[in-house]
Amino acid sequence: MAQTLAMPLAPSVAVICNRRNTNSFSNLVSFPSSSTPKFRGLTIKCARVGGVEIPNNKRIQYSLQYIHGIGRTRARQILLDLNMVDKMTKDLSEEELITIRDEVSKYMIEGDLRRFNALNIRRLKEIQCYRGIRHIQGLPCRGQRTKNNCRTLKGKRVAIAGKKKAPR
């Protein structure tokens, strides 16, 4: 019986029985404290800008580039518009984060940008223009040659039956 009482019932409840006297329920069940665990050197705070969690351990110029639609040039432009020094993301104050969020919200980013591009491609496909046809066929539409390259779009090579290599 002591072995069955010593087995844990659930991850949050553990039954402990070290004494012979098992009359009181408080001796049998111990509940963990509700405080959050604290780890040395680990911070869980993460800056959220434009609906994306940007990394804390990088400079703000490079952290902003994790947002779809913000590249190197636009990240620099945002920092110049705000007259902000390029420092680590974790060192930013709450007011600085709010101003960065306001500045980033002026641009078309993330879901809006993806939707905009998808609608443009769908429009090209519907009007059956050259670029739309190339999108439908899964081939490059910006004039690249397709004899040797563009394996990314065309997919894996397919062997042609009956074709033999020329003898040397």
Side-chain angles (χ1 to χ4, degrees):
M1 180 175 165
Q3 291 175 346
T4 58
L5 289 176
M7 293 174 58
L9 299 173
S12 62
V13 179
V15 178
I16 302 167
C17 181
N18 291 333
R19 300 180 185 164
R20 296 277 182 202
N21 185 6
T22 57
N23 293 339
S24 67
F25 185 72
S26 63
N27 290 341
L28 295 177
V29 179
S30 67
F31 295 98
S33 62
S34 63
S35 66
T36 59
K38 296 177 182 176
F39 303 103
R40 282 186 211 150
L42 180 67
T43 57
I44 302 174
K45 180 191 164 215
C46 197
R48 192 162 180 86
V49 178
V52 178
E53 291 182 356
I54 59 175
N56 273 341
N57 56 351
K58 297 188 179 200
R59 294 201 170 275
I60 188 67
Q61 176 184 347
Y62 301 109
S63 294
L64 286 176
Q65 293 178 27
Y66 279 71
I67 302 170
H68 181 75
I70 295 182
R72 193 181 304 164
T73 306
R74 189 163 286 171
R76 284 187 195 143
Q77 187 63 42
I78 288 170
L79 292 178
L80 282 175
D81 291 345
L82 298 175
N83 294 326
M84 189 176 285
V85 180
D86 188 23
K87 56 183 175 181
M88 298 294 280
T89 307
K90 61 185 172 189
D91 297 336
L92 291 174
S93 66
E94 199 61 39
E95 294 83 23
E96 290 173 328
L97 274 174
I98 291 170
T99 57
I100 288 173
R101 285 185 191 119
D102 293 340
E103 186 68 25
V104 166
S105 66
K106 294 177 184 175
Y107 298 103
M108 187 183 297
I109 55 169
E110 285 298 319
D112 296 334
L113 181 62
R114 293 179 204 271
R115 196 173 306 110
F116 178 77
N117 290 338
L119 287 174
N120 280 341
I121 292 172
R122 187 179 305 143
R123 179 182 55 83
L124 291 174
K125 289 178 181 179
E126 286 175 0
I127 64 174
Q128 294 285 311
C129 68
Y130 178 79
R131 286 173 55 202
I133 292 169
R134 300 296 278 186
H135 275 292
I136 292 169
Q137 293 173 344
L139 294 170
C141 55
R142 293 187 178 180
Q144 297 95 327
R145 296 186 179 264
T146 59
K147 181 177 181 180
N148 296 324
N149 292 327
C150 80
R151 292 273 41 124
T152 304
L153 288 173
K154 287 167 70 173
K156 203 164 173 72
R157 286 188 176 89
V158 179
I160 300 172
K163 185 174 181 182
K164 296 180 181 178
K165 287 188 176 181
R168 291 186 183 186

